[in-house]
Amino acid sequence: MDTQSSSGSSKREEILKNNLDYTLFSWSKQKGLDPICVERAEGVYLYDYDGKRFLDFSSGLMNVNIGHGDQRVTNAVVKQMQNVSYVTPGCATEVRGELGKKLAEICPGNLTKAFFTLSGAGSIENAIKLARLFTGRHKIISRYRAFHGGTYAAMTAGGDPRKLASDSQQVPNVVHVEDPYCYRCPWSQQPDSCKLECISHIERIIDFEGPKNIAGILMEGESGTSGCIKYPKNYWRKLREICDTHGILLIADEVMSGFGRTGKWFGFENHGVIPDMVCMAKGIASGYLPFGCLMVTNTIAAKFDNEPLMIGLTYSAHATACAAALEVIKIYETDHLIENAIKMGNYVEKRVDELKKAHPCIGDFRNTGLLGCMELVKNRNTREPMAPYNAPASAMQVMNQVAARLKELGVYTFVRWNYIFIAPPLSITEKQIDEGIDKISEALKIADASCS
Ligand SMILES: Cc1ncc(COP(=O)(O)O)c(C=O)c1O
């Protein structure tokens, strides 16, 4: 071992020790963790203290859409901080106004008013509160498999099992519906026999719950951590019709699917409808600073022209975070990243089609733009998952081995139950996709061995 890598290793050990001894890691048992110690990150790569390079095939948590280490964002942030870093949300700043105007420009329809938050969960919390204030109704309908964030109302609105440990404290008046999970249709339908039972199901639940009690229907614009479950054709159009019939607000959670991730500015644009509220975070500032936004129509905003808008945060419209977001949005445009997401997404799909021929463990691959999820199965005919929903550790042996092999090969991505996500930064090239796909192919050999 040369001196440089041995000093890298001792530095790594010190960093790891401080992290593990003095900080808590989310959603995990704290003992036995072995996180990558990241020294620097650039483009689609992370580098650890031993000089090992990892391809970031999930853009962090599907948020670093422009890629890592872009100095244009650093410069914009520094410049903003030299003038004003923070003022109270009651003050006006040039950057806040410019960002609001830019978002109104990229959002369709009359989604023209931005309330700035700090995170995805913060946007969801405020959407739920505002939907209730605007409609005077109390119930929110959302999907069981969705994840909307880790704060109480957001966590309640999601159905993701991460909430189960604390769901005795969930907020009231959230009603869940089944997902339109076509690969495992809850109504046992096939694409050619489907009559959108998933929509009739929602209509029935609305009748049971009382349409006049329902403030909003909240859905991810495109599904993310729930497994990139694709909405069937006309699903969103039907949701829009249901909302219009009953005076319910349609709320799109674009925290993960927004900002080019699905080949459009927003996931809902793949479905030809315009929601009443849009929750944003992640890609809005690409993770350079924590930031989010709740975008609402001017109709909703107008209700508060002459009555107080009772929502607020100390860091709403934080000037430095606004500057980061404004620069990141410029980069999507100048670097043609949304166009690249479509092109590279098609390339990923072509490569995964090839993988399917070589790997019997691939049951399904669902992708939109660069938001993709591979679902591993033990048997393609029975579709028995390689690890079940909410798999306990004992059922994760094979998937854990696949994840460990990916890490060893230098691929960082999100592996959950029987899902492997492919959601690299939108700046990725074909050559870098080949690198990731070839390494995934290598790791899948482990899962193939468990196929019948
Ligand atoms: C669809 C969706 N909504 C909301 C959130 C919560 O975002 P945050 O972690 O920034 O609060 C997430 C996080 O993964 C998400 O995927």
Side-chain angles (χ1 to χ4, degrees), residues 18-89:
N18 283 340
N19 275 260
L20 296 177
D21 286 356
Y22 299 109
T23 76
L24 292 168
F25 284 73
S26 335
W27 314 121
S28 319
K29 198 166 68 169
Q30 302 297 302
K31 266 221 164 113
L33 292 173
D34 183 24
I36 302 172
C37 289
V38 182
E39 183 178 25
R40 67 189 179 88
E42 199 180 327
V44 297
Y45 293 108
L46 312 175
Y47 298 84
D48 76 6
Y49 281 86
D50 298 323
K52 180 165 173 168
R53 190 178 84 166
F54 294 85
L55 177 66
D56 184 355
F57 231 32
S58 60
S59 314
L61 287 175
M62 291 83 154
N63 59 333
V64 190
N65 292 4
I66 65 163
H68 298 273
D70 195 313
Q71 294 308 304
R72 289 171 290 184
V73 186
T74 314
N75 295 338
V77 163
V78 169
K79 196 165 159 225
Q80 180 62 46
M81 289 186 100
Q82 284 165 341
N83 292 328
V84 52
S85 300
Y86 166 81
V87 283
T88 73

Side-chain angles (χ1 to χ4, degrees), residues 183-203:
Y183 185 63
R184 302 181 186 282
C185 174
W187 298 275
S188 305
Q189 292 292 24
Q190 297 299 323
D192 56 357
S193 59
C194 166
K195 295 188 192 60
L196 283 183
E197 281 80 357
C198 43
I199 287 289
S200 338
H201 161 68
I202 295 176
E203 287 173 324

Side-chain angles (χ1 to χ4, degrees), residues 119-121 147-149 220 253 255-256 282:
S119 63
F147 181 71
H148 294 295
E220 293 155 278
D253 178 347
V255 170
M256 187 175 284
K282 294 194 189 265

